[in-house]
């Protein structure tokens, strides 16, 4: 009895269509189909695998009598479903871009950083060391030249020495900028691999940079001179603000003057950060220099808060991390005198720990926005095709 019941279960539920339609002769099938609506017949035609040969023949005959082209209707339905899915995809993706929590994004950046801490330290540390010594050597060289200049207004007649001071500092900052740009490129490669589910290595990331080193250096120079323009604009803006305060008979303190200068520099650098995704575009998508700059501007549209957080954490955090050892040494100078070399090492270590955050954030922002832009473009193309 149990074997009989199992056999009936297998027949009825493993092959239900065959049981029903084999039990009905074709004449009964024809009569049954004549009572169905066009939509019901098209639904059956859309699932031919459930029909027996007799049922399929009867259905085909009834559709022919009603002059219904089932193939054309099925193509229209598939196209409608595809467009509906495309619209659904657009509606799901676009709110993500607008409502994505900045806090969640920052958490993701920190998660990526903490998950691969030593990798990012190895990628950024050479730039911090090179940048530190380049800037210090530039300042020392400029200081040596300045010590030979006369005090007061007499230095105005020594334009050659003044240009030498400027050039020494300029070269120091340029070398530092190029070193950080190369490390940024390597970090972009690492973030791209992590986003793709690949465990990156420092050698693979540096190899990716070597393949694009020429374009990366050209892009870095372009961004460096844009930064110089931004800093100059910040200087003019701060002078304009101080002039307005002077016209209103205000007498700002040193703190207010420094605060105005800091805010003006921060504002212009925030505008400049719209190009922060140019290096990720060049490294991850092999964009050309000009294309990478415009791509960055496109993908950072409306991302002011995210850019501000990444920029502030790097500039403020890096400054504090770099100067904190010297501040502490000044506070305890009366009790303990720490060697300057020790303070420099601690300062470099602090900056090394803080700086990757901004670069990881820019790279991760590019990966996400590029993927979103690509998916939106495909959905829109599908909708219009």
């Amino acid at each position: 009895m149990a074997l009989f019941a199992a056999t009936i279960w297998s027949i009825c539920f493993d092959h239900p269509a065959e049981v029903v339609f084999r039990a009905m002769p074709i004449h009964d099938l024809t009569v049954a189909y004549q009572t169905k609506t066009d939509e019901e017949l098209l639904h059956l035609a859309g699932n031919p695998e459930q029909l027996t040969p007799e049922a399929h023949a009867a259905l085909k005959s009834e559709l022919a009598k009603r002059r219904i082209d089932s193939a054309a209707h099925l193509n229209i339905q598939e196209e409608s479903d595809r467009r509906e899915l495309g619209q659904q995809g657009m509606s799901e993706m676009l709110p993500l871009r607008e409502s994505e929590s900045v806090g969640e994004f920052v958490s993701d950046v920190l998660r990526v950083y903490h998950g691969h801490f030593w990798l990012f330290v190895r990628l950024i540390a050479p730039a911090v060391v090179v940048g530190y010594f380049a800037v210090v050597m530039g300042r020392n060289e400029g200081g040596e030249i300045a010590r030979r200049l006369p005090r007061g207004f007499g230095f105005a007649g020594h334009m050659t020495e003044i240009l030498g001071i400027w050039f020494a500092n300029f070269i120091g900052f340029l070398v530092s900028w190029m070193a950080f740009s190369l490390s940024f490129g390597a970090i972009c490669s690492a973030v791209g691999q992590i986003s793709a589910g690949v465990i990156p290595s420092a050698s693979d990331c540096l190899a990716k940079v070597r393949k694009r080193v020429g374009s990366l250096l050209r892009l870095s120079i372009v961004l460096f001179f844009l930064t110089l323009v931004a800093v100059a604009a910040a200087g003019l803006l701060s002078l304009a603000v101080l002039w307005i305060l002077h016209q209103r008979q205000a007498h700002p303190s040193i703190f207010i003057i420094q605060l105005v200068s800091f805010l003006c520099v921060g504002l212009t650098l925030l505008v400049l950060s719209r190009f922060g995704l140019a290096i990720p575009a060049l490294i991850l998508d092999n964009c050309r220099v000009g294309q990478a700059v415009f791509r960055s501007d496109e993908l950072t549209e409306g991302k002011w808060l995210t850019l501000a957080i990444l920029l502030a954490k790097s500039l403020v955090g890096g400054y504090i991390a770099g100067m904190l050892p010297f501040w502490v040494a000044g506070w305890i100078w009366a009790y303990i005198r720490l060697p300057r070399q020790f303070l420099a090492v601690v300062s470099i270590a602090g900056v090394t720990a803080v700086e990757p955050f901004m670069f990881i954030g820019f790279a991760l922002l590019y990966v996400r926005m590029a993927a979103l832009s690509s998916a939106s473009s495909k959905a829109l193309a599908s909708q219009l095709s």
Side-chain angles (χ1 to χ4, degrees):
M1 187 71 178
L3 180 60
F4 175 75
T7 303
I8 296 299
W9 179 275
S10 176
I11 292 173
C12 293
F13 290 95
D14 290 349
H15 307 282
E18 295 181 11
V19 172
V20 174
F21 290 116
R22 282 177 182 171
M24 296 180 64
I26 191 168
H27 174 71
D28 294 339
L29 288 169
T30 301
V31 174
Y33 288 155
Q34 288 175 350
T35 62
K36 293 185 178 294
T37 63
D38 293 350
E39 289 76 13
E40 291 174 331
L41 294 179
L42 288 170
H43 177 72
L44 290 172
N47 300 277
E49 67 279 358
Q50 297 182 1
L51 303 178
T52 64
E54 295 81 1
H56 191 275
L59 177 61
K60 185 177 180 180
S61 175
E62 183 62 27
L63 289 172
K65 288 180 183 178
R66 302 190 190 188
R67 296 183 178 181
I68 297 176
D69 187 350
S70 60
H73 279 78
L74 290 176
N75 288 337
I76 292 174
Q77 183 62 35
E78 290 177 358
E79 178 67 17
S80 176
D81 293 343
R82 183 168 63 85
R83 294 193 177 192
E84 183 178 350
L85 288 174
Q87 293 174 352
Q88 181 179 1
M90 290 285 288
S91 65
E92 290 176 353
M93 286 183 296
L94 291 178
L96 177 65
R97 181 178 180 181
E98 296 174 354
S99 63
E100 182 183 15
S101 170
V102 176
E104 292 178 359
F105 176 76
V106 172
S107 298
D108 290 341
V109 174
L110 291 173
R111 192 178 302 113
V112 171
Y113 183 26
H114 293 160
H116 302 82
F117 177 79
W118 290 112
L119 170 65
F120 291 116
V121 166
R122 291 176 62 187
L123 294 177
I124 197 68
V128 176
V129 174
V130 171
Y132 176 84
F133 283 105
V135 172
V136 169
M137 291 175 64
R139 288 181 176 178
N140 290 341
E141 183 64 25
E144 288 293 329
I145 299 175
R147 274 191 285 271
R148 295 195 294 266
L149 294 178
R151 302 300 178 184
F153 293 99
F155 76 92
H158 297 76
M159 291 304 299
T160 303
E161 289 79 2
I162 294 174
L163 289 176
I165 296 172
W166 178 86
F167 185 74
N169 286 277
F170 174 84
I171 293 298
F173 284 113
L174 178 60
V175 171
S176 175
W177 180 277
M178 302 303 287
F180 275 101
S181 297
L182 293 173
S183 288
F184 185 17
I187 289 174
C188 291
S189 177
V191 172
Q193 294 179 60
I194 293 170
S195 300
V198 178
I199 300 177
S201 66
S203 58
D204 292 339
C205 299
L206 295 174
K208 179 70 173 179
V209 172
R210 283 195 296 269
K211 292 180 181 178
R212 300 281 291 164
V213 66
S215 298
L216 179 57
L217 292 177
R218 290 195 296 272
L219 176 58
S220 300
I221 292 174
V222 171
L223 296 177
F224 179 75
F225 280 101
L226 287 176
T227 303
L228 292 181
V229 173
V231 171
L236 294 176
L237 181 60
S238 60
L239 287 176
V241 173
L242 294 176
W243 181 81
I244 292 174
L245 293 176
H246 178 72
Q247 291 296 109
R248 294 179 177 273
Q249 305 300 321
H251 301 284
S253 63
I254 298 297
F255 174 76
I256 296 298
I257 294 174
Q258 292 178 342
L259 180 62
V260 169
S261 300
F262 180 80
L263 291 177
C264 291
V265 171
L267 180 61
T268 54
L269 290 180
L270 178 60
V271 174
L272 186 68
S273 67
R274 290 287 300 271
F275 303 123
L277 272 59
I279 289 181
L282 185 140
I283 295 295
L284 297 178
D285 284 341
N286 295 322
C287 295
R288 297 185 298 274
V289 172
Q291 183 183 5
V293 172
F294 287 108
R295 179 72 166 156
S296 176
D297 181 66
E298 173 190 353
L299 295 181
T300 54
E301 183 177 358
K303 292 294 181 180
W304 292 110
L305 181 57
T306 302
L307 295 174
I309 291 176
L310 295 175
L311 193 64
K313 187 170 179 60
S314 177
L315 294 180
V316 178
Y319 178 77
I320 293 175
M323 295 302 298
L324 185 60
F326 298 97
W327 293 340
V328 173
W331 295 334
I332 64 174
W333 183 259
Y335 308 99
I336 302 175
R337 296 193 176 185
L338 299 175
R340 189 170 183 83
Q341 293 80 0
F342 172 78
L343 296 177
V345 170
V346 176
S347 176
I348 290 173
V351 174
T352 300
V354 171
E355 283 303 313
F357 176 84
M358 181 182 70
F359 298 128
I360 296 171
F362 281 144
L364 188 60
L365 182 62
Y366 176 81
V367 169
R368 292 191 174 183
M369 296 306 299
L372 181 61
S373 176
S374 176
S376 300
S377 299
K378 289 180 180 179
L380 182 60
S382 174
Q383 186 178 5
L384 296 176
S385 61

